[in-house]
Amino acid sequence: MEGWRLSCNSKVISDCTVLVPDIASAYKSRMRTADLSSPKEIAIFENTKADLVSSGIHFDNDFLALDVCMEAPTLEDTMPDSERLTWGIQSQIEVENVKIPFCVMKKLASTLRKYDFHVCVKGRHDGDTFHCMEISAPEDTAIVGCAIDIGTTTVTMVLTDLTNGKLLAKGSSGNGQIRYGADVINRIIESGREGGKKKLQDAIIKETLVPIIANLCKTAKVTPASILRLTVGANTTMNHLFLGVDAEPVRMEPYIPSFFNWEGLKAGDLKLPANPLADVVIAPNIGSYVGGDITAGTLASCIWDKDEMSLFIDLGTNGELVFGNRDFLMSCACSAGPAFEGGDISCGMRATDGAVEAAVIDKDTMEPELTVIGDEGQKVVGICGSGIIDIISELYRCGIINAKGLFSREGKRIKRDAHGMGRYVLAFEDESETGREISINEVDIDNFIRAKGAIFSAIDTLLNSVDMTVDMIDKVYVAGGIGSGINMKNAVNIGMFPDVELEKFQYIGNSSLTGAYAMVMSDQAIEKCVEVGANMTYLELSTYPGYMDSFVAACFIPHTDRNLFPNSIQEV
Amino acid sequence: MEGWRLSCNSKVISDCTVLVPDIASAYKSRMRTADLSSPKEIAIFENTKADLVSSGIHFDNDFLALDVCMEAPTLEDTMPDSERLTWGIQSQIEVENVKIPFCVMKKLASTLRKYDFHVCVKGRHDGDTFHCMEISAPEDTAIVGCAIDIGTTTVTMVLTDLTNGKLLAKGSSGNGQIRYGADVINRIIESGREGGKKKLQDAIIKETLVPIIANLCKTAKVTPASILRLTVGANTTMNHLFLGVDAEPVRMEPYIPSFFNWEGLKAGDLKLPANPLADVVIAPNIGSYVGGDITAGTLASCIWDKDEMSLFIDLGTNGELVFGNRDFLMSCACSAGPAFEGGDISCGMRATDGAVEAAVIDKDTMEPELTVIGDEGQKVVGICGSGIIDIISELYRCGIINAKGLFSREGKRIKRDAHGMGRYVLAFEDESETGREISINEVDIDNFIRAKGAIFSAIDTLLNSVDMTVDMIDKVYVAGGIGSGINMKNAVNIGMFPDVELEKFQYIGNSSLTGAYAMVMSDQAIEKCVEVGANMTYLELSTYPGYMDSFVAACFIPHTDRNLFPNSIQEV
């Protein structure tokens, strides 16, 4: 194909520019995102909401849709439109001032006349002032919030009815920035080039967010102008690139973001398809590598309201951790890569129909028993995050792979390629939906071991930093795109999570999205999230003594120090 | 020329569309605008400012330019940029909150680093909050206000230093909308057509205001982002077309504007070359045909602060009147046409070099003695507003024209064309600067008589409506584009102004611009202008019994009822 070359057939003989194809759309169908598309996820989400209410976060806000009926003007009643509307609003609610913005003023005369002086006015009731934001047909009464989780790899979003919190639509896709680099560092470098800020911003806004929001509006049958608030849970770099602000200082010593907590962004500033006056509330960052996705997620976890010591783990492209209770919160980040989201895994996919979400392997026959998402008889399409954990744990338990993740048994389901690289076949060509073999190979396993090693060593270091040990953990909240069906026992078995009682683990779904949802619905949640961010201490792992040693030691199944995992199954 | 036809040589035989050439630029050089370009005007302006101060309007505002010096971040001091700036500002002024808007956030990181963390921050200090509006190089400390008078025919503007009120630059041009109609009614009709609102808005904003503001910024050596407030004095229709809001209801019964007083407009809404967050403060309208130019002008006149009965006359494309004192204010509008601004007069021009600004005619020889603006020896180029009044008054006094404005004497300086239409030659071809004859003809005089008749009959009717007579007027303030050199005695002689003692007259220049200037400089002036607008009663002349009769009676020199003008000179 013109301009395309297979890199495996090419030899680089001088400097060259390599354009990687746009794999964002490929990711879209392959990747697992917790986007509230399954009943299980919805149940987790509802559970988190209930916890937030118990912790004193009330799901209410100041947004209103008013049915305003006015007398038509006559030669005897020549009040101008703006005053007429003001009086109409004041007859509905007790306010001293009514603010009419330009976007409403511009269409006031024609809208009033089109609907015979009976309209719906949407806006915010703030103390003694009503801020109009939209004027529409009397029957168009929807007022909508939009909660967005911007991950490095995936973007997930819900529209919610601001009056009752009902989910109106939900959707997700790959982050369009992915063609500029899989990780934040490469994207910052790209953004620092000529025109780079605009390019990266366009990739997330124009290519990613705009189409999703437009789609969700269509699904929910609401106008973009009905979206009166947006909230964003995103890491520090994503927040910077989203706004188009210079992100280089995030990457360069002394690692200074433009902002941690910042108010003042409007949807119109970014040309998002929403009411131009809608606040875009960004969950606060607390460091260069612990951002708003974590403060939003911590908000959702409610660990800030508990006496018990909790560990919050967010598994995304980066892994982030928060440890503490109502008295203190300590956080850090580690570079885990996209393995937990199905990236870096040859047969990785989203947890939709055809995904292996759980697996058991017979130690003797080495035959797998797979749990596949979908109707009875659904054939295998690929493997989602929770399935990968199960498969690796089972391969290790059955002695099919060793502590280094290399295949050490042979059999019908173990294949090797020309270079001797082993793989385990979950579904042969004739067993899969696609006619392709579905398998997991040594590269997949190695990628995953590094990812889980990064997570475990970060947990280890974070606890160390406050002179605590694993047995002091009362509760472990696991969040992120890894799927609702995560088998915590297997995650402990492979040395990904600390070896604590299984009942201490709780999966809380996409907590960044849940936190963003709470913030879009609740003024109190916004305040609390800012407070949580302000009270959180950031530990920079990369410069913390001993972290690298801890990481290297963790890159085995389960760990070089078996004593840390007394309850892990043994390699046979 | 392709597509162009001389209308005098064309016969219309069916429906046709006539495109009138863009005469705005022609107007630009021909028309008289009071744009503070002469020392006399400046003196009047300074006098008005002093009167405002005496009336309790203080010329101060909340805008500030702060010199902010910060420590550069280090690995030990990793405060993000937004907090660093906030602290820097709080070290300069006592404020609890600092609001950083998107336009500042977007360039915060790069600007701080470019200037080594020593910057100028411009913004508004409102109670316990500082609203940042701009961040710039430490030496770029200008904070600027822009006061704009948008007339139907001409646009005038000044840039002022918000710290001390000094005028930084001034400029004017024709209103680019003029090609869509010379009067407001035709422009409203045009705006009601498909795409018309955008067309009319583009004509005033993109074609007229943007180039002037850009020019003034260049002259004043300030950046557009330094313009932190704009104020606009404009009639009701101009205000609607400026905003691009539907103006049809202004024209159609029951004549309802979209707004009288409205806050909430930002420069960014209209894409004006100014700080996008700058408030655009529009002086309030009080009726469909008495707008913000009159409330701003009334503010400048200070008649709202006096016990004495004052008449305020604004001579523009429309003539508007306000009568009253500190207890009541009554206003009305009349359609005078552009004659006072030099329009509709064949040799009309601005009061710049070469303009006849005053004239005396010898009764016997009929030779004129002209006062021409410019250096010693400057030849005549045209006639400005004040010159026209003098010439018509003198022609009438000398019996050269009769009460109907027709030529009744013959002589060297009286010429007639092929149709018998008379004209008086002020300068023959060899006497003028341009080599063209400079004259005033019967059509010019007729246009002017209608204009002055409209003004006088409006004054008459307005006084009538409150059961008052001319002799109860204590003071007459004359404002508008007619020039600083207006000869009040001649204006009375021709029946334009009421026959009161000459010392009661005071010319106050372009009061709409002066009012806008006061508002841009002074928060108090804005409040007062709103108050003045709210307290003003609007009289609709077109439906007022007797107005038309009064107009017809006034279309003579000086009037059909000579008793109204006991001190006018007699026709000989």
Side-chain angles (χ1 to χ4, degrees), chain A residues 301-344:
Chain A
S301 74
C302 292
I303 66 175
W304 47 268
D305 189 42
K306 304 214 161 75
D307 290 321
E308 53 190 27
M309 286 295 164
S310 300
L311 177 65
F312 167 83
I313 307 173
D314 190 28
L315 299 171
T317 309
N318 272 3
E320 288 103 347
L321 307 172
V322 181
F323 181 70
N325 64 4
R326 68 164 80 245
D327 299 322
F328 81 101
L329 291 169
M330 194 79 196
S331 72
C332 70
C334 62
S335 181
F340 301 127
E341 291 174 302
D344 275 4

Side-chain angles (χ1 to χ4, degrees), chain A residues 218-400:
Chain A
K218 228 180 269 176
T219 305
K221 294 190 178 65
V222 299
T223 59
S226 306
I227 299 179
L228 305 188
R229 178 151 74 192
L230 300 95
T231 49
V232 174
N235 66 52
T236 308
T237 302
M238 290 304 109
N239 279 331
H240 280 62
L241 299 178
F242 173 54
L243 297 188
V245 308
D246 197 359
E248 282 283 358
V250 171
R251 180 176 74 91
M252 311 285 275
E253 206 182 294
Y255 317 112
I256 305 298
S258 271
F259 62 96
F260 282 165
N261 180 36
W262 171 58
E263 284 168 40
L265 187 64
K266 302 281 175 189
D269 290 333
L270 301 176
K271 301 196 176 57
L272 290 169
N275 193 295
L277 300 171
D279 281 319
V280 181
V281 179
I282 297 177
N285 306 313
I286 73 136
S288 284
Y289 297 105
V290 173
D293 49 349
I294 301 309
T295 49
T298 305
L299 169 73
S301 74
C302 292
I303 66 175
W304 47 268
D305 189 42
K306 304 214 161 75
D307 290 321
E308 53 190 27
M309 286 295 164
S310 300
L311 177 65
F312 167 83
I313 307 173
D314 190 28
L315 299 171
T317 309
N318 272 3
E320 288 103 347
L321 307 172
V322 181
F323 181 70
N325 64 4
R326 68 164 80 245
D327 299 322
F328 81 101
L329 291 169
M330 194 79 196
S331 72
C332 70
C334 62
S335 181
F340 301 127
E341 291 174 302
D344 275 4
I345 304 292
S346 54
C347 293
M349 71 170 287
R350 296 185 57 198
T352 50
D353 287 356
V356 174
E357 62 167 350
V360 179
I361 297 176
D362 186 286
K363 205 169 185 172
D364 298 327
T365 65
M366 295 195 283
E367 281 300 305
E369 191 180 307
L370 305 177
T371 307
V372 179
I373 299 176
D375 296 332
E376 185 74 36
Q378 167 75 50
K379 286 181 171 179
V380 178
V381 176
I383 317 168
C384 71
S386 58
I388 294 163
I389 292 174
D390 277 12
I391 292 161
I392 293 176
S393 173
E394 284 292 279
L395 289 174
Y396 178 71
R397 183 184 61 81
C398 299
I400 300 170

Side-chain angles (χ1 to χ4, degrees), chain A residues 81-82 100 102 257-258 262 269, chain B residues 81-82 100 102 257-258 262 269:
Chain A
D81 296 338
S82 61
I100 302 176
F102 181 60
S258 271
W262 171 58
D269 290 333
Chain B
D81 295 338
S82 61
I100 302 175
F102 181 61
S258 270
W262 171 59
D269 290 333

